[in-house]
Each structure stands twice: as structure tokens, then as C-alpha cells.
Amino acid sequence: MQTHTLTHLKQLESEAIYIFREVAEQFERPAMLFSGGKDSIVMLHLARKAFWPGKVPFPLIHIDTGHNFPEAIDYRDWMVKEYDLDLIVGSVQESIDKGTAVEERGVNPSRNGLQAITLLETLEEYNIDAAFGGGRRDEEKARAKERFFSHRDEFGQWNPKNQRPELWTLYNGHYNDYEHFRIFPISNWTEMDVWQYIAQEKIALPSIYFAHKRPVVERNGILLAESPWNTLLKDEKYEERLIRYRTLGDMTCTGAVLSDADNLSGIIQEVASSRVTERGNRSDDKRSEAAMEERKLQGYF
């Protein structure tokens, strides 16, 4: 008797595709948060598989902080055109201009925390009842508490004690007026799974993930890229280094890693031998021990 055994990556892929289809069945107005980072790129690839040969049946939402890496914006625009996708852009600058968000001041002000405000405004404007995110449980301790279907209250807030059981792959998407869900199809994936899947599926990525020379300054052990929004401190200077990025956020808070890995094979070897977590070079996560959980309680992904 023949048996059919799925590989580890195929099992993860099948699980994610199942979740995409469950959301399409249970919710009326889903959308996908898309940053141009590797996790959201993999998530979009899975969504395209889930609904092939049809078009992805929901829009992408990009929360534009205005402090993005140019490579990420270029990739986003290419992806939308290449696959005929619908894109919604929520602007943090617009939130600041109308007074719902307040710009940080200081040496390297971050708009990362302000994304939650713009995100909630965008979800409300388009009446989104389920928003896909690329969060993974291995990334950070607050994200390890997440379910696939993450319930949010009428204020967009997350309460880890108020999440639904998910037994036998049964997902409860019921919500009351003004509530919604965040959906995490790749929760069970690790950083290594993501990179191996990208290699297996031959998924195109922004050039920022591969080794390149870039002016950076080292601050508190983090290599920050030269940008208009960082102010050099006394005795600091930018130096050109051979670097790449493991994770993608704003230029003001995302640290680079020294690397000569200019292809997927080199990146996979580098990740396998790394003793620093993927988000270990994110200065926004170092503001407090519970920085991520505090942002999630305010409506962040």
C-alpha cells in the first residue's frame, strides 16, 4: 500500500493555505498587512497558492511610516503590479498631520509605535473584519502567546487571556460589532523555515536581504543605516560596511548585520549558525522588556 508523507515545509504550507481558506469562508472583508518584508512576502505567496488560479480575493494594506527603506517600497510597487493586487496605503504622516498621532523627538525618533494608530484608523475606514499578519511564535515572547485567530476588542486591543481555544484545527471567527481578528497563518514557522521555503519556491526578495555595502553607524551595538531621520551623536560617523538585514522595519530602528551572504544558500548557513535572535537588532524591541507586548496591547500586530 502506497503512503504519502508530506515534508516539514509542505505540512506548514498546507496548514497556512487551510487558514487562508477558512478566513475567506468565515469573514466578509479580510485584508493582508504587507510590509515588503520576507514574512509578508511568504504569506502573499501562500495566499496566491490558496486561491489559484483566481486572484487573491482581498487587498494588501501597507502602513507607510515615511521612514521606509527605499528597497522595500520599490519591491512593494513591483509586487502589486506583477500580480495585479489591490493595495491600500495607510499613512502615518497623515495621522500626525490630523493630530491623532504625535511625532517622537530625539536623536533617532521612531514611528514604529505610531503604526498602531494608523493601522486601526485604516481598518476602521475600510471596515476590515480580519487582517492577516506575518507574525511567528519564534520571533518574540509576546508573539509566542498568539493564536492563529487573534481576537481584538472594539478598541483594537489584544488581551492574551481573552483568546479562543483552537482544538482540532477548529477556528472560531465570531465577533461582535466593532471587534475584529488578526490572523497569523505562519505562526508555527521559524526563521529557518521561512528561508528554506523561499529557496524551495524560488521567491523573489528585496535586495536589502542580501549582502551589500551601505553607510551605517553603530549605536548601542546596533548598526543603523544612514537616513535623513537619524542624527549623529558626538564622535559618531557613518562608515561603509558590508551588511544585510534579517528583518525589515523602519530605517530608524532596524539594525543590520555584518554579512557577506549574497545568496540564499549563504543566508541559510548564516541563520543556522547565528546565536542572536532575528529581532535582536531591532532597537524598538529594546526600549523595555515588554516592548512588543505593550505595542500589541495598543493595537499593533
Side-chain angles (χ1 to χ4, degrees):
M1 183 175 69
Q2 289 184 338
T3 60
H4 180 65
T5 303
L6 294 178
T7 66
H8 174 58
L9 290 179
K10 282 296 182 182
Q11 288 177 341
L12 291 172
E13 178 188 71
S14 178
E15 177 181 65
I17 287 174
Y18 175 77
I19 290 168
F20 273 111
R21 291 172 177 169
E22 274 290 297
V23 170
E25 170 64 26
Q26 293 194 43
F27 295 90
E28 296 182 6
R29 297 169 299 279
M32 179 188 292
L33 192 69
F34 187 81
S35 66
K38 67 184 187 305
D39 296 325
S40 60
I41 291 169
V42 164
M43 198 166 55
L44 178 57
H45 183 82
L46 291 163
R48 291 179 57 237
K49 279 197 168 189
F51 302 107
W52 182 264
K55 180 181 176 180
V56 174
F58 43 76
L60 307 184
I61 293 178
H62 177 224
I63 303 303
D64 183 2
T65 65
H67 292 176
N68 304 283
F69 285 93
E71 294 94 329
I73 298 299
D74 290 345
Y75 182 92
R76 179 201 70 183
D77 294 343
W78 170 81
M79 178 71 77
V80 167
K81 183 178 180 180
E82 180 74 10
Y83 298 114
D84 187 26
L85 303 167
D86 297 320
L87 175 67
I88 296 169
V89 178
S91 169
V92 171
Q93 184 61 54
E94 289 184 8
S95 297
I96 293 170
D97 291 343
K98 66 184 181 182
T100 55
V102 179
E103 183 84 85
E104 282 190 2
R105 303 298 177 188
V107 178
N108 55 320
S110 172
R111 289 184 171 182
N112 198 56
L114 304 185
Q115 291 182 84
I117 297 169
T118 306
L119 172 59
L120 292 174
E121 291 174 344
T122 305
L123 295 179
E124 182 179 6
E125 179 182 354
Y126 291 90
N127 202 19
I128 302 299
D129 55 2
F132 292 100
R136 308 189 322 268
R137 293 190 178 109
D138 77 316
E139 284 183 282
E140 203 273 342
K141 58 187 177 183
R143 285 183 168 171
K145 301 177 184 179
E146 285 285 14
R147 306 287 173 88
F148 286 108
F149 279 35
S150 178
H151 174 265
R152 302 298 173 106
D153 64 19
E154 63 270 29
F155 303 107
Q157 295 175 326
W158 170 74
N159 183 346
K161 297 179 180 180
N162 191 30
Q163 303 301 314
R164 282 80 184 277
E166 294 182 342
L167 305 174
W168 305 294
T169 64
L170 297 175
Y171 303 109
N172 181 357
H174 174 75
Y175 61 93
N176 297 315
D177 289 346
Y178 306 110
E179 298 177 343
H180 69 278
F181 277 81
R182 309 288 173 85
I183 312 293
F184 300 99
I186 62 172
S187 284
N188 286 338
W189 296 50
T190 66
E191 182 185 10
M192 180 61 79
D193 294 330
V194 169
W195 284 113
Q196 289 179 333
Y197 188 74
I198 288 169
Q200 172 186 286
E201 300 292 303
K202 298 179 173 58
I203 301 173
L205 291 176
S207 59
I208 196 170
Y209 279 113
F210 302 96
H212 60 286
K213 290 184 178 181
R214 193 183 209 106
V216 295
V217 61
E218 183 171 351
R219 181 175 297 164
N220 298 323
I222 296 176
L223 297 175
L224 295 174
E226 181 178 10
S227 79
W229 308 288
N230 283 337
T231 302
L232 291 179
L233 302 176
K234 184 180 179 181
D235 299 328
E236 284 187 338
K237 64 177 181 178
Y238 289 112
E239 296 181 355
E240 190 174 79
R241 310 288 289 275
L242 184 62
I243 56 96
R244 72 174 194 86
Y245 289 86
R246 288 176 68 183
T247 181
L248 193 58
D250 275 359
M251 296 185 76
T252 57
C253 63
T254 306
V257 294
L258 297 174
S259 174
D260 60 359
D262 58 2
N263 56 52
L264 289 174
S265 177
I267 290 174
I268 289 171
Q269 291 180 28
E270 191 175 270
V271 170
S273 61
S274 177
R275 294 297 178 265
V276 178
T277 62
E278 180 181 358
R279 295 184 68 93
N281 289 300
R282 292 286 293 266
S283 62
D284 50 323
D285 286 353
K286 297 179 182 295
R287 293 190 171 192
S288 76
E289 283 293 319
M292 174 63 79
E293 185 153 343
E294 290 166 358
R295 294 201 302 274
K296 288 170 67 64
L297 292 172
Q298 296 167 0
Y300 186 75
F301 258 78

